[in-house]
Amino acid sequence: MTAVIAIDQGTTGSGAHVLQSDGAFRSGATIDHKQFYPQAGWVEHDPEELVGNVARLIAQHKAGATGIGIANQGETVVAWDAKTKKPIHNAIVWQDARTHAEIEKLKAAGHEETTLARAGLPLDPYFSAAKLRWLLDNVAEAKTLRREGRLRLGTSDAFFLDRVAGQFATDVTTASRTSLMNLDTLQWDPQLAELFGVPIECLPEIRATAGDFGAIDGVPVAASMVDQQAALFGHGCRKPGDAKITFGTGAFALAIAGSKPLKNPKTGLLPTIAWKLGDAPVTYAIDGGVYNAASALNWARELGLFADFSEIETFDGCAIERGLAFVPALSGLGCPYWDRSAAGLWLGMGLETSKRDMLQSLLEGVALRAAQVIAAMDGLQPIAAKLSIDGGLANNGYFRGFLAKALGRQLTIPASLELTGLGCALFALIGAGLSTIDDLPQQQTGTLVEAAPFDRALVNRFADAVERCRNWRA
């Protein structure tokens, strides 16, 4: 019998996963969706396509299910009509940078101190609040619906839940990525809402990660969360210092912080919510993101630098030791810099530089940026000696070996690389009352990658390259 199904609604597609009552976990169907780039720096999805794919996957896999979990993209936002449930504009994706100018105005006015103190987040187009404000200012129907009391604003999960489960709600992990939720009260913050000009009455109710989110054709939706928090749970991270990095479109590191938020803006790390299970106290995390990981590799493939991933499994030596560095700042720099003015950069090229050299340095650059994030985390919350990774790049032998060296840590690569789906399913298992956090089914042990000696001077060389890429777009 199927215990629960998990839907992972991600940046490039949606996937279904099934967790059986005996602990067996398998992946089901996947559906890709279109990406829209209306202008430079703008990224959109069609909300109808997204919710249609979610509904289709649930319909295909719900037979015998006793619970459903839905993981979402995080900071991606939608505006829709409360009466018709129809979106009034394309979803604005987490990668989108259209609000850069407005964010800079808020920074210049000294408001970042407020967002850091109350939401735990810096001012950056990455987060949801400014995107929601953009919809209010630029979509005529948004103004009309607001006057009529019919406007709904929220992250993509709230739209899905309202549309398919009849619940206008979000969870604390997703709300913590908006810059509108107070990290201490776990409620929408009036001061932040006023700062960004987002009406609280248009926002969804904030609920626990595992709990009641309505039902779809009689099957309870028992969990809803950000995909990265689902992955954190799927990795088996449970105690302070446990950490994971997911190498997807970007590279996202999360570490368990414990029962209190760790706020230290100087580190460039983000205090956030790991999860909240029913009425139990919230568990906090620290978060650090690298905007470009697999997206940088896909970009290189589109440029014709390679055709098949088998071509980039092995390399001789080390590119950065030869003086060649790549900074994957194609969408700017995330943690710990939060600098959208930065640009992608190859440094140290000469007439002898080949395509393979460039690809090797690209893989190393993603790894070294991830190492910068983990180093920042370790200074705030000591990180365990063993770190778990997943995502497409975790399949690349050269990348994971170099990453282990750059981190100076042993890496665990779980048996299943669908950690977002697994974590989402485990949350749903708890939300449906079928298990507790202490009695979850055990998953297969993965493989280990041992750290090897690494000249720490190379870390400083890379840090110098990062500094050189900054302020290019200023």
Side-chain angles (χ1 to χ4, degrees), residues 169-185:
T170 187
D171 92 300
V172 288
T173 69
T174 315
S176 73
R177 311 301 298 171
T178 61
S179 288
L180 295 170
M181 189 190 84
N182 188 298
L183 204 59
D184 297 307
T185 67

Side-chain angles (χ1 to χ4, degrees), residues 107-427:
K107 284 185 179 180
H111 292 303
E112 190 164 57
E113 184 177 341
T114 299
T115 62
L116 287 168
R118 303 182 81 84
L121 303 177
L123 284 167
D124 192 275
Y126 178 37
F127 305 111
S128 306
K131 296 181 178 74
L132 292 171
R133 180 65 202 188
W134 188 93
L135 290 167
L136 277 166
D137 290 341
N138 292 276
V139 181
E141 193 174 354
K143 298 180 178 66
T144 301
L145 290 175
R146 186 183 178 188
R147 285 195 301 269
E148 296 175 358
R150 291 169 50 186
L151 178 64
R152 288 189 170 170
L153 298 170
T155 39
S156 58
D157 62 314
F159 171 63
F160 302 151
L161 291 167
D162 193 28
R163 179 73 164 260
V164 301
Q167 299 288 306
F168 183 39
T170 187
D171 92 300
V172 288
T173 69
T174 315
S176 73
R177 311 301 298 171
T178 61
S179 288
L180 295 170
M181 189 190 84
N182 188 298
L183 204 59
D184 297 307
T185 67
L186 309 184
Q187 297 298 322
W188 302 123
D189 186 290
Q191 188 172 337
L192 292 172
E194 182 178 0
L195 174 64
F196 286 101
V198 176
I200 286 180
E201 65 272 16
C202 296
L203 296 173
E205 177 187 349
I206 300 174
R207 298 182 184 177
T209 307
D212 179 17
F213 289 94
I216 300 171
D217 295 334
V219 183
V221 179
S224 180
M225 78 299 302
V226 177
D227 52 9
Q228 296 309 316
Q229 275 77 345
L232 181 70
F233 203 67
H235 276 276
C237 298
R238 302 289 186 269
K239 61 183 185 298
D242 286 353
K244 69 87 187 177
I245 311 176
T246 297
F247 291 95
T249 303
F252 299 97
L254 274 172
I256 302 295
S259 59
K260 294 182 179 180
L262 296 180
K263 297 179 183 179
N264 188 337
K266 292 181 180 179
T267 65
L269 295 166
L270 309 180
T272 191
I273 306 296
W275 56 73
K276 189 177 189 305
L277 307 179
D279 295 328
V282 68
T283 296
Y284 288 92
I286 47 176
D287 165 61
V290 176
Y291 291 136
N292 300 109
S295 58
L297 199 59
N298 291 334
W299 166 77
R301 185 168 61 166
E302 289 171 4
L303 290 180
L305 295 182
F306 74 104
D308 190 88
F309 288 102
S310 62
E311 299 172 35
I312 57 172
E313 272 289 323
T314 59
F315 294 92
D316 295 327
C318 174
I320 197 165
E321 284 182 349
R322 302 193 298 271
L324 179 63
F326 175 74
V327 183
L330 301 170
S331 303
L333 288 169
C335 176
Y337 303 96
W338 299 107
D339 182 3
R340 289 282 188 161
S341 74
L345 171 73
W346 264 294
L347 190 65
M349 291 194 295
L351 293 174
E352 74 286 355
T353 303
S354 68
K355 289 193 295 185
R356 281 187 59 78
D357 292 329
M358 296 169 71
L359 289 165
Q360 184 180 23
S361 68
L362 188 155
L363 291 170
E364 292 176 5
V366 174
L368 287 163
R369 278 289 292 119
Q372 287 185 321
V373 174
I374 295 299
M377 285 184 167
D378 198 45
L380 185 60
Q381 163 66 62
I383 300 301
K386 188 185 295 184
L387 190 145
S388 191
I389 67 169
D390 72 312
L393 278 172
N395 292 316
N396 183 279
Y398 182 79
F399 175 79
R400 63 196 190 195
F402 184 87
L403 178 65
K405 290 195 296 184
L407 291 170
R409 282 179 163 79
Q410 186 183 61
L411 299 181
T412 300
I413 303 172
S416 169
L417 290 180
E418 298 292 350
L419 276 299
T420 298
L422 175 59
C424 180
L426 292 173
F427 278 134

